[in-house]
Amino acid sequence: MPFHTIIEPFRIHSTQRIRHTTPEEREAALVRAGYNLFGLRGEEVLIDLLTDSGTGAMSSRQWAAMMDGDESYAGSSSYERFRDTVQGLTGLAEVIPTHQGRAAEHILFSVMAKRGQVVPNNTHFDTTRANVEFVGAEARDLVIAEGRVPSSEHPFKGNMDLDALEATIGEVGVERIPLVMVTVTNNSGGGQPVSLENLRGVRRICDAHGIPLFLDACRFAENAWFIKLREPGQTDRTPREIVREMFSLVDGCTMSAKKDGMANIGGFLALNDAEVARKARNLLILTEGFPTYGGLAGYDMEAIAVGLEEVLDEDYLRYRIRSTAYLAEKAESAGVPTVRPPGGHAVYLDAKALLTHIPPSQYPAQALAVELYRTGGVRGVEIGSVMFGARHPDGTETPSDMELVRLAIPRRTYTQSHVDYVGEVIKEVAERRDQIRGLTIVEQAPWLRHFTARFAPV
Ligand code: F0G
């Protein structure tokens, strides 16, 4: 092919206005929000990279399918389409719709785990960890050593450390491990993929001990694309074939359809064990809704059913993974180190490496996130000591291992020129790095403080 620019494989059919704010407006917004970007109004943000969850654009086919939504309380035909799509994709027998991923997690751990047990995962996402801990179990992260080093270049940095998994089972005892989970891609570890070989290895260990294996499948299609690109022997397979093999290795999954479901809301729990499914549906009725809609409208299930097919389109996945890498290249050429290699859904800026003059106690990643907004109206999210620092009764804190700013890319939403602009903002901020000051916390909640804490400049 004579052309090598990888283009957005769609044309834009409907648009939403975004607006530049003035530096004075942004400064006032920061003061009002206490330098916490969760406190900004959507309209005050120009390019919103806070999350890739539920923030993407749906296709004309998804909007059209929504018109066919069957809102029957029981026996909705939209549920049947949704169920058939999930079964076709995953091969899993029981499909339970939920309003989003964390509701599926809550139901799964409520019926399968209990106090004193241990759930191994490559890296638990924060809602997954919280739902494990909520039932009194321990959430243990067993990602490979390379997965904890931002600069290491391993192709599958999301892989589970198989020796550590064996050791954990030996130490804890099989009866105290209700299930093993693998998160694809590994969001909290930089959006890094897990190889088929590694998943097969986890399966072998689970089989040897009779332990069920579940996927946290939020970004299953992005994971499959990385397998196609990077795993020996996988190049000629379609994403659908790879996805099918990934799911054939597990007993069930939780899913947030706000990611690779290409929808603005939704999720599901899918599994093979009919007895566990029966208990899950009983709880579903209590907390979400009747089993043929869970927490969703009929039209949501229609949108997800179409989204789950569209996400496997090779042109889409090629563009998706390439456009994330493109932003990482912009950041690196501006002199800002990132978590290597770039993940599927986000670029993670290494604030510790950039702002060496700001100690962890003054939250360098929060300072960098604030500066990106102040400079260009770009919103990312701190993943560092504000989110994960351990607080002690005497008021001191143990900082998080890494101080990162995640720039997550909504699906099919921003164009290459938007990303070029973000690159320019990063460059401008990097050039003024010496002038950036740290922050101190002036107000905070006892848990999940990153959502509501208020800061002041040091
Ligand atoms: N698991 C992973 C790996 C996730 O990334 C998320 C959400 C969830 C579970 C929970 O799904 O939001 O539908 O309840 N991640 C979003 C993010 C919020 O910004 O990374 P949910």
Side-chain angles (χ1 to χ4, degrees), residues 51 53 100-102 105 125 127 183 187 216 218-219 256 258-259 406:
T51 178
S53 180
Q100 58 183 79
R102 66 197 69 183
E105 293 163 3
F125 180 65
T127 61
T183 305
N187 183 12
D216 177 340
C218 296
R219 298 176 181 86
S256 168
K258 302 172 75 169
K259 284 84 170 176
R406 184 184 77 170

Side-chain angles (χ1 to χ4, degrees), residues 50-53 99-105 123-128 183-188 216-219 254-259 265-267 345 348 381 383 406 408:
L50 183 66
T51 178
D52 64 320
S53 180
H99 80 276
Q100 58 183 79
R102 66 197 69 183
E105 293 163 3
T123 312
H124 288 83
F125 180 65
D126 50 11
T127 61
T128 324
T183 305
V184 293
T185 56
N186 192 27
N187 183 12
S188 303
D216 177 340
C218 296
R219 298 176 181 86
T254 56
M255 171 78 190
S256 168
K258 302 172 75 169
K259 284 84 170 176
I265 195 71
H345 69 295
Y348 297 68
V381 66
I383 301 192
R406 184 184 77 170

Side-chain angles (χ1 to χ4, degrees), residues 358-372:
I358 303 182
S361 58
Q362 295 178 9
Y363 310 115
Q366 183 66 20
L368 179 58
V370 164
E371 207 55 34
L372 291 171

Side-chain angles (χ1 to χ4, degrees), residues 30-346:
L30 283 171
V31 170
R32 189 200 71 234
Y35 301 90
N36 186 333
L37 305 184
F38 283 100
L40 297 176
R41 295 173 52 238
E43 288 191 348
E44 291 167 336
V45 178
L46 182 65
I47 308 285
D48 202 349
L49 308 181
L50 183 66
T51 178
D52 64 320
S53 180
T55 50
M58 292 206 295
S59 68
S60 53
R61 286 180 58 232
Q62 284 177 292
W63 286 110
M66 287 176 77
M67 293 301 287
D68 280 327
D70 174 359
E71 306 304 337
S72 301
Y73 189 97
S76 159
S77 59
S78 298
Y79 170 71
E80 290 167 9
R81 271 189 285 280
F82 171 82
R83 178 200 59 202
D84 293 350
T85 302
V86 175
Q87 285 174 342
L89 199 67
T90 66
L92 296 165
E94 309 277 354
V95 179
I96 299 171
T98 59
H99 80 276
Q100 58 183 79
R102 66 197 69 183
E105 293 163 3
H106 179 66
I107 291 172
L108 177 70
F109 294 116
S110 297
V111 301
M112 287 193 71
K114 55 177 190 272
R115 183 163 301 282
Q117 293 188 322
V118 175
V119 177
N121 198 324
N122 44 356
T123 312
H124 288 83
F125 180 65
D126 50 11
T127 61
T128 324
R129 168 173 293 278
N131 275 301
V132 170
E133 291 173 355
F134 186 73
V135 299
E138 179 195 331
R140 203 174 283 190
D141 293 340
L142 301 177
V143 73
I144 56 170
E146 292 88 337
R148 299 177 200 266
V149 184
S151 58
S152 84
E153 285 280 354
H154 193 286
F156 291 102
K157 272 172 92 170
N159 280 356
M160 178 88 91
D161 181 334
L162 300 181
D163 293 334
L165 179 59
E166 280 282 18
T168 299
I169 297 170
E171 170 218 320
V172 171
V174 179
E175 65 293 342
R176 283 178 58 218
I177 302 195
L179 61 99
V180 171
M181 202 161 205
V182 176
T183 305
V184 293
T185 56
N186 192 27
N187 183 12
S188 303
Q192 301 292 328
V194 175
S195 70
L196 273 177
E197 187 195 19
N198 186 255
L199 259 185
R200 291 190 202 110
V202 177
R203 174 81 262 177
R204 267 195 303 276
I205 294 172
C206 287
D207 278 344
H209 299 279
I211 301 172
L213 173 58
F214 277 70
L215 281 183
D216 177 340
C218 296
R219 298 176 181 86
F220 70 93
E222 292 172 5
N223 197 83
W225 189 254
F226 280 121
I227 288 174
K228 183 175 166 72
L229 291 183
R230 296 181 186 168
E231 189 156 351
Q234 299 298 325
T235 324
D236 296 329
R237 296 176 82 191
T238 63
R240 185 181 299 277
E241 286 165 341
I242 296 170
V243 164
R244 193 55 196 260
E245 182 171 352
M246 284 163 53
F247 283 101
S248 76
L249 294 165
V250 299
D251 302 290
C253 73
T254 56
M255 171 78 190
S256 168
K258 302 172 75 169
K259 284 84 170 176
D260 278 351
M262 308 282 250
N264 300 123
I265 195 71
F268 57 84
L269 170 63
L271 70 172
N272 282 328
D273 186 323
E275 179 52 22
V276 175
R278 192 186 58 76
K279 289 185 196 155
R281 288 199 176 94
N282 287 342
L283 193 54
L284 186 82
I285 291 176
L286 191 67
T287 59
E288 293 280 295
F290 190 74
T292 57
Y293 72 88
L296 297 173
Y299 54 68
D300 293 324
M301 293 187 285
E302 295 283 353
I304 296 165
V306 175
L308 288 171
E309 299 286 343
E310 289 185 346
V311 77
L312 294 176
D313 176 48
E314 297 205 14
D315 289 338
Y316 164 74
L317 283 169
R318 185 177 299 114
Y319 139 80
R320 171 73 177 157
I321 299 304
R322 174 61 199 137
S323 54
T324 304
Y326 180 81
L327 175 58
E329 285 162 16
K330 295 272 163 193
E332 269 157 30
S333 69
V336 180
T338 64
V339 173
R340 298 290 314 160
H345 69 295

